[in-house]
Amino acid sequence: MITQILHNLWQVCIDKLLLAATSWRFFLRQAKFFLMENLLEIAKEEVVLGSSFQLVFMPLQIGEQAPDFTLPDQDGNLVNLSSYKGQRVIIYFYPKDDTPGCTKEACNFRDRWKILQDQKIKILGISKDTANKHLKFINKYQLPFTLLTDLEPCPVATLYESYGLKKFMGKEYMGMKRQTFVIDPEGKFELIYLKVKAATMADQIVEDLALS
């Protein structure tokens, strides 16, 4: 099993390189996504990799071009990141609709909506939830911004290094991480928040962008 997976990974790497479709950083994240898809299968086979086997992936960096993507919103409409070129975009990944932390974060963006809207800043919340769950969440808390669906195995969150191994009550599982990115008008990372305080995320962005 592990031999076949590594063989397939190598083939994916060769194909990506020959096509030269993206930057080398994007290429590495695609390889990371392939590995994540197969982690559970590897675990089922109880394969133990030696400590000498390591893959190192470069972290996302401010000033780097943000990966483009297309995802469906709460109304089923497809949203493409590149369509917002020329304006700032806030992309925030969160675990699940209508849970305590995610509700606090969404409501903080709602409460800061006017000042962000006045600056023509687009807000895109992304989770694994379906469009129907997004609509219920939006209606319940009167959220004025867009929520997108990134279904398992969460390819967009993986590209943004916001999907991976998590721990809860001693158990490990693959899930969405709470992380936020501000994309500048040229489509590059302007701000990156890997440690998010859900209740004050929007407040922090407003302060860091000197909008207040």
Side-chain angles (χ1 to χ4, degrees):
M1 181 66 183
I2 186 64
T3 301
Q4 184 61 43
I5 289 174
L6 292 177
H7 172 75
N8 291 342
L9 174 60
W10 175 251
Q11 189 59 54
V12 169
C13 292
I14 293 297
D15 291 342
K16 292 292 183 181
L17 185 61
L18 290 176
L19 290 173
T22 56
S23 69
W24 66 275
R25 288 181 183 276
F26 182 82
F27 162 71
L28 286 176
R29 284 194 289 278
Q30 285 291 76
K32 178 182 180 181
F33 171 51
F34 181 89
L35 282 179
M36 284 182 169
E37 280 189 303
N38 290 280
L39 280 176
L40 293 179
E41 290 301 321
I42 294 173
K44 288 176 183 177
E45 295 293 326
E46 298 182 348
V47 176
V48 179
L49 298 178
S51 59
S52 61
F53 180 81
Q54 294 183 341
L55 284 176
V56 179
F57 297 95
M58 298 297 292
L60 299 171
Q61 296 182 11
I62 290 175
E64 180 183 85
Q65 195 72 27
D68 194 16
F69 62 81
T70 300
L71 288 175
D73 67 9
Q74 67 273 5
D75 298 313
N77 300 315
L78 293 179
V79 174
N80 184 261
L81 177 62
S82 61
S83 67
Y84 298 114
K85 193 168 185 179
Q87 66 182 108
R88 276 185 174 131
V89 181
I90 295 171
I91 302 172
Y92 81 95
F93 293 90
Y94 65 98
K96 191 175 181 180
D97 287 342
D98 210 8
T99 53
C102 297
T103 297
K104 290 178 181 179
E105 187 172 20
C107 288
N108 189 225
F109 276 112
R110 177 201 63 195
D111 295 342
R112 288 293 197 163
W113 170 250
K114 188 178 185 307
I115 190 169
L116 294 170
Q117 187 181 43
D118 288 345
Q119 297 296 320
K120 298 183 179 179
I121 298 175
K122 183 71 177 179
I123 301 175
L124 302 175
I126 302 178
S127 76
K128 298 183 295 182
D129 296 290
T130 63
N132 185 50
K133 289 182 178 179
H134 280 334
L135 275 175
K136 290 180 179 178
F137 190 40
I138 287 171
N139 292 333
K140 184 175 181 178
Y141 295 100
Q142 299 181 357
L143 306 179
F145 49 85
T146 301
L147 297 181
L148 304 178
T149 297
D150 189 21
L151 294 175
E152 293 276 10
C154 305
V156 173
T158 299
L159 287 178
Y160 280 75
E161 301 183 2
S162 298
Y163 179 80
L165 197 62
K166 300 176 70 175
K167 282 187 177 182
F168 181 70
M169 297 182 67
K171 294 184 178 181
E172 293 186 342
Y173 63 98
M174 300 296 288
M176 192 80 76
K177 299 177 182 179
R178 191 185 304 282
Q179 297 184 163
T180 301
F181 306 87
V182 177
I183 313 302
D184 71 14
E186 294 183 355
K188 298 179 180 181
F189 291 111
E190 184 173 3
L191 296 171
I192 296 176
Y193 301 90
L194 302 183
K195 294 183 178 180
V196 170
K197 291 183 178 179
T200 58
M201 182 69 266
D203 295 337
Q204 187 66 55
I205 293 174
V206 168
E207 180 180 340
D208 290 345
L209 292 178
L211 301 179
S212 57

